Each structure stands twice: as structure tokens, then as C-alpha cells.
Amino acid sequence: MFILGERPRGNADCSGREHVMADQSTPQADLLNRLSRIEGQVRGIARMVEQDKYCIEILTQVSAASRALQSVALGLLDSHLGHCVVDAARTDGAEQDAKLEEASAAIARLVRS
Amino acid sequence: MFILGERPRGNADCSGREHVMADQSTPQADLLNRLSRIEGQVRGIARMVEQDKYCIEILTQVSAASRALQSVALGLLDSHLGHCVVDAARTDGAEQDAKLEEASAAIARLVRS
Amino acid sequence: MFILGERPRGNADCSGREHVMADQSTPQADLLNRLSRIEGQVRGIARMVEQDKYCIEILTQVSAASRALQSVALGLLDSHLGHCVVDAARTDGAEQDAKLEEASAAIARLVRS
Amino acid sequence: MFILGERPRGNADCSGREHVMADQSTPQADLLNRLSRIEGQVRGIARMVEQDKYCIEILTQVSAASRALQSVALGLLDSHLGHCVVDAARTDGAEQDAKLEEASAAIARLVRS
């Protein structure tokens, strides 16, 4: 996962293993921070429901959590294009086509969700 | 919160307090269940990131969590229209306008998020 | 169609016939202007395709046309809530439920499109 | 423009000039057909507004036109990934980064529109 970091140029395998470090400043750590904030947002929404908060306020928080998830998705996609698709583009034929189709399908799911 | 339940006809105040019961089968309990599943989905996505799962698989889970949040939002909105907006429609003038504007703004945020 | 205009308070029938005037400044005229601009945008996109413009520039125009259509939809929905739903809220029982369900379904289609 | 056609493997320049033919069966002709249908849909929506059709019916048509535009966008993006991004991936450094950033920005606009 390399979102937000400088985009390495196709020198990683698609699971990106060698880039993973425990350090806060890595893209993986950043992504985990963002997901943990979203988890907290969803828990906060549940608390609002338990406390019978006003629907519109709850909806505002749901929209905020959705946008945060969308940002995570765009970051993942960005890093995927910069790695797996770039790698695939250097091969030819069937593998390249399969990777491009897979990326297009993921984009379509995202646009439609 | 009254999503999925039969829509009461405007006889609740907007926070819907009198409809809340501890019982699993209430709309509130259903909503809390759904939010707790979404929280689990987000935690699962973080685990996938930690385990360096393939980006496309992670993206699929992010899209699923987004759709689940969207469903929660549509349920909340539906119940809001059935309660607060219906109540407001029976009053007149400024209060009614304010409620309708508030609902429209929430719908716009949702459509654009 | 009453988008952008002051919201009348439920004194129109749902098709809003009595509000329609030839005059530019009516909400209906405004809506027709907007639709005619969108039609022009779509024609412009076709021209860009014919002239082999760069995909990214075409995509930017497609996104702009999508957002314009979305605005039209939000305006229509807003006026629908202010008329038909408010009218229905003053009746009771089956008709009210049917109108609310119809509005919720339209919102869901919009959010998911 | 190559949507729906077999994806050529990066042997076209980004504006895709050499693929353009007058023939109906080309991806460009298909795209133009789709855009002309969308133009007709938008004109049909304007006619519904003029005839004071019921808001919910108009909204249904607006959602359909939005989905059709979204499909056009996904097709364009798909062809862009298969051409320009694949081409860029075979170069190195600054040009590749610029192309990937541009594609990511277009995807983000699409997801958020």
C-alpha cells in the first residue's frame, strides 16, 4: 500500500511487500491511521444512534465517513495504477490485458458505489 | 431511528424517543447491527492492509463497506422523511421551509458524497 | 417544476400546472435553460470525440455534464419534496405512505446512479 | 476513442488518430452513437418538463441519462488506461508520473461527480 507516498516506478511486486515498515511515516502506516479513524467514525455514528441524536446530524456523519472511505479507495487505486498496472504495461499480451481489465472493473465498482 | 420498520405516521417527535426499545427487532437495533457490521468491515480492511493483501481485493472490500454505509444513509433519510418532514408538513410557514431545506441539503450531501 | 424559486407551500397540484408561465424567470424556464445547456455540453463532447481530442479533456467535460445533470435532479427532488410530499403529508394513511416510498425510491436511484 | 473495442496494446498515440474510421463498427462510432442517444435523452427530459410531467417520472429519466454518461466516462477511462497509461508506463520518470497523476485525477473527478 503506497498511497500518499512518492510513487515508486514499478520496481515493487504488486503486493508491495518490501515497502512495508512499522514506521508511522510510511504510506501503509498512513493508510492504517486513516482506516482506524474511519472505524472510530462508524463507532461514533452508532453512539449517536443509541443516544437518539437528530437524524440529520447522524446523516452528516455518515456522509463524512463515506467520503473518508472514498478517499482511501482513491489512494489505493492510485497506488495500484502506479505499481501493478505499470508493471503489467511492461509485459505484453494476456497478462497486461488481464491487469487492465481488473483495474477498470475496480474503477467501475468504485464509481458506481 | 426507524429504518426498515413500518413507517409511523408523524406521531413521533423528531428524535423519535418513544420508539426506542432494547429489543433486537426494533429499527434502532437493526441500525446498530448494521453499523457494527460496517465497523467490522473497516477493521477487516485494515487487517488486509497489514497483511499486504492484493490492492484489488482490498478495493473490493472498500466498495462493499461504502455501499453498506450508503444503505444506512438511505434508511436514515427514509425514516427522516417519514417523521420529521411529515410532521413539519403539518405545520406551516417558516418551520416547514426550514425542515424541507434541511432535508434537501442532507440529500445533496449524500448524492455528492 | 419549481426548482430555484421560492417554495410554494403545498398549494399546487403535483404536476404544478398553475405555476407554469412562458416568462424566463420561472423555475420551469430556468430548468429548461439548464437542460438546454446540458444538451449543448453533450453535443460538445461528441464533437471532441470526432476531433480526436485528448481523452482526459473529454473526461473532464463528461464529469461536468454529469454534475450539471445531478444538480437538475437535486432541484427536481427539492421541488418534489416541497410539493407532492408536503401535500401527501396532509392526507393520511395509504396515500401518504405511497408518496413517501416513491420519494425514497427516487432518492435511492439518484444516490446510486 | 476505443471503448468497447478490443484493447490495442499501446501502439497508438494518445489521441488515437489512426484508429478513427467512418465505419459504424469502430469504437469511435459506438461512442458517438451513445452520445447521440444521451443528447436525445436530455431533449426528452426537457420535453417532459414542458409538458409538466410528474416529477418522479422526470427524475427517473435524469437518473437514466446520468448512468449512461457514467458508462461513457468508464469506457473512455478504460481506453485511456489501455493506451496512454500503458504507453507512459514504457517510458520512465517524469512523463510516466505525470500521466499517472493525470489519470488518477480524472478517476477522482469521476468518483466524486
Side-chain angles (χ1 to χ4, degrees):
Chain A
M1 304 310 100
F2 307 87
I3 75 160
L4 296 191
E6 228 191 312
R7 181 186 293 113
R9 296 201 186 89
N11 58 344
D13 73 282
C14 269
S15 73
R17 232 163 304 271
E18 75 273 34
H19 290 269
V20 177
M21 288 149 280
D23 169 1
Q24 271 299 94
S25 61
T26 61
Q28 195 201 35
D30 172 81
L31 186 51
L32 290 172
N33 276 340
R34 294 218 245 165
L35 286 165
S36 138
R37 267 199 304 276
I38 294 171
E39 204 192 312
Q41 280 178 294
V42 175
R43 211 163 25 235
I45 294 167
R47 217 161 23 235
M48 290 175 88
V49 170
E50 281 169 347
Q51 296 167 353
D52 270 320
K53 295 283 186 205
Y54 183 47
C55 337
I56 294 289
E57 281 168 42
I58 304 179
L59 270 172
T60 301
Q61 295 310 309
V62 175
S63 292
S66 290
R67 268 194 307 278
L69 261 183
Q70 201 178 63
S71 271
V72 162
L74 289 171
L76 282 165
L77 200 58
D78 184 49
S79 111
H80 181 67
L81 290 180
H83 284 92
C84 311
V85 173
V86 162
D87 281 357
R90 295 180 177 171
T91 67
D92 243 317
E95 197 203 326
Q96 187 193 117
D97 282 0
K99 285 286 172 196
L100 286 170
E101 228 160 82
E102 193 186 55
S104 287
I107 294 169
R109 270 196 303 276
L110 202 59
V111 168
R112 292 183 170 133
S113 79
Chain B
M1 303 309 99
F2 308 86
I3 76 162
L4 296 190
E6 229 191 310
R7 183 183 293 113
R9 295 201 187 92
N11 56 346
D13 73 282
C14 269
S15 72
R17 232 164 304 272
E18 75 273 36
H19 290 269
V20 176
M21 289 150 279
D23 170 0
Q24 272 299 95
S25 60
T26 61
Q28 195 200 37
D30 171 82
L31 186 52
L32 289 172
N33 277 341
R34 294 217 245 165
L35 286 165
S36 139
R37 268 199 303 278
I38 294 171
E39 203 191 312
Q41 281 178 294
V42 176
R43 211 160 28 235
I45 294 166
R47 216 160 27 235
M48 291 175 87
V49 170
E50 280 168 347
Q51 295 166 355
D52 270 320
K53 294 284 185 204
Y54 184 47
C55 337
I56 294 288
E57 282 168 42
I58 304 179
L59 270 172
T60 302
Q61 295 310 310
V62 175
S63 292
S66 290
R67 267 194 308 278
L69 260 183
Q70 202 178 64
S71 272
V72 162
L74 289 171
L76 281 166
L77 200 57
D78 184 49
S79 111
H80 180 67
L81 290 181
H83 285 91
C84 312
V85 173
V86 163
D87 282 357
R90 295 177 178 177
T91 67
D92 243 318
E95 197 204 325
Q96 181 188 311
D97 281 0
K99 285 287 173 196
L100 287 170
E101 229 160 82
E102 194 186 54
S104 287
I107 294 168
R109 272 198 301 277
L110 202 60
V111 168
R112 292 184 169 131
S113 79
Chain C
M1 302 309 99
F2 307 86
I3 76 160
L4 296 189
E6 228 191 311
R7 181 184 293 113
R9 295 201 187 92
N11 58 345
D13 73 282
C14 269
S15 72
R17 231 164 305 270
E18 75 272 36
H19 291 269
V20 176
M21 289 148 280
D23 171 359
Q24 271 299 95
S25 61
T26 61
Q28 195 201 36
D30 171 82
L31 185 52
L32 289 172
N33 276 342
R34 294 218 243 165
L35 285 165
S36 139
R37 269 200 302 278
I38 295 171
E39 203 191 313
Q41 281 178 294
V42 175
R43 210 161 28 236
I45 295 167
R47 216 160 26 235
M48 292 175 86
V49 169
E50 280 168 349
Q51 296 168 352
D52 270 323
K53 295 284 185 204
Y54 184 47
C55 337
I56 294 289
E57 281 168 43
I58 304 179
L59 270 172
T60 301
Q61 295 311 309
V62 175
S63 293
S66 291
R67 266 194 309 278
L69 261 182
Q70 202 178 63
S71 273
V72 162
L74 289 171
L76 282 166
L77 199 57
D78 185 48
S79 111
H80 181 67
L81 290 180
H83 285 91
C84 311
V85 173
V86 163
D87 282 356
R90 295 178 177 175
T91 67
D92 242 319
E95 198 204 326
Q96 185 191 120
D97 282 0
K99 285 287 172 196
L100 287 170
E101 229 159 81
E102 194 187 54
S104 287
I107 295 169
R109 271 197 304 276
L110 202 61
V111 168
R112 291 184 171 131
S113 80
Chain D
M1 302 309 98
F2 307 88
I3 75 162
L4 295 188
E6 227 191 313
R7 182 185 292 113
R9 294 200 187 91
N11 58 346
D13 74 281
C14 270
S15 72
R17 232 163 305 269
E18 74 273 36
H19 290 269
V20 177
M21 287 148 280
D23 170 0
Q24 272 298 95
S25 61
T26 61
Q28 196 202 34
D30 171 81
L31 185 52
L32 289 172
N33 276 340
R34 294 219 244 163
L35 285 165
S36 137
R37 267 199 304 277
I38 294 170
E39 204 191 312
Q41 281 178 293
V42 175
R43 213 162 24 237
I45 294 167
R47 217 161 24 237
M48 292 175 86
V49 170
E50 281 169 347
Q51 296 167 352
D52 269 320
K53 295 282 186 205
Y54 184 48
C55 336
I56 294 289
E57 280 167 44
I58 304 179
L59 271 172
T60 301
Q61 294 311 309
V62 175
S63 292
S66 289
R67 268 195 309 278
L69 261 183
Q70 201 177 64
S71 272
V72 162
L74 289 171
L76 281 166
L77 200 58
D78 185 49
S79 111
H80 181 66
L81 290 180
H83 285 92
C84 311
V85 173
V86 163
D87 282 357
R90 294 178 179 175
T91 68
D92 242 318
E95 197 203 326
Q96 181 187 308
D97 282 0
K99 284 287 173 196
L100 287 170
E101 229 159 82
E102 194 186 54
S104 287
I107 294 169
R109 270 196 304 276
L110 202 60
V111 168
R112 292 184 169 131
S113 79

